[in-house]
Amino acid sequence: SDNNSAPSQYISLDYNFSFDLSKGFRATEISDDKGLVVLVEGSAGGGFQVFIIPFDEPGPLTSERIKKDLPQKVIINPRTATLDGVPVLVFSSREGADDVFEAWFIHNGNLFQITTKADFADGLQKILQTWKFTS
């Protein structure tokens, strides 16, 4: 019998990381000349995106460093967390009329920007607890 209770997984072979996808969620990869977007959407709403671009500076990332490139960026309550041992800058922000929650970090020569609407911040944090770097 097919046991569907195990979460499915998103695995990136190009960027060497994976995370569990809760039931009803799917991940779509969209790549362009700048980098890769992984769009994760839930059937009942909720979801987040991971934007990955090449970045030639070592981490850890700071809010001051982000402001240097993006002076208009709103960074509220920045704090440091870790994702599978990698330091991550997490903060609240705004995009247009939306309150958003973001997690940014540098790993293996790439900048990762993870963004979700504020009302899915808890859901995102649960998913991020399953994040593993595979190299």
Side-chain angles (χ1 to χ4, degrees):
S1 69
D2 187 6
N3 179 358
N4 259 342
S5 63
S8 59
Q9 247 194 349
Y10 168 77
I11 299 170
S12 170
L13 299 174
D14 292 333
Y15 294 97
N16 301 309
F17 69 92
S18 68
F19 53 81
D20 290 352
L21 285 169
S22 315
K23 199 167 166 53
F25 281 79
R26 67 173 194 280
T28 311
E29 292 184 357
I30 306 154
S31 56
D32 63 21
D33 52 2
K34 287 194 278 292
L36 175 72
V37 174
V38 182
L39 192 62
V40 179
E41 299 167 292
S43 50
F48 60 96
Q49 69 170 27
V50 183
F51 181 47
I52 308 167
I53 52 171
F55 197 74
D56 61 4
E57 295 173 29
L61 206 53
T62 63
S63 47
E64 292 75 23
R65 179 64 192 83
I66 293 173
K67 287 278 198 185
K68 193 176 128 186
D69 283 353
L70 302 168
Q72 306 304 315
K73 182 86 183 159
V74 177
I75 298 178
I76 302 158
N77 189 20
R79 55 212 183 277
T80 305
T82 57
L83 201 57
D84 194 19
V86 172
V88 179
L89 185 72
V90 294
F91 55 91
S92 299
S93 187
R94 290 187 73 77
E95 274 185 10
D98 290 324
D99 289 317
V100 294
F101 173 80
E102 307 195 30
W104 290 37
F105 61 91
I106 297 166
H107 184 253
N108 273 1
N110 292 292
L111 172 63
F112 289 70
Q113 306 170 10
I114 306 174
T115 309
T116 189
K117 290 199 174 153
D119 58 10
F120 192 68
D122 290 347
L124 173 61
Q125 292 183 69
K126 284 194 185 73
I127 292 168
L128 292 183
Q129 285 166 10
T130 70
W131 185 294
K132 296 271 179 296
F133 293 108
T134 50
S135 71

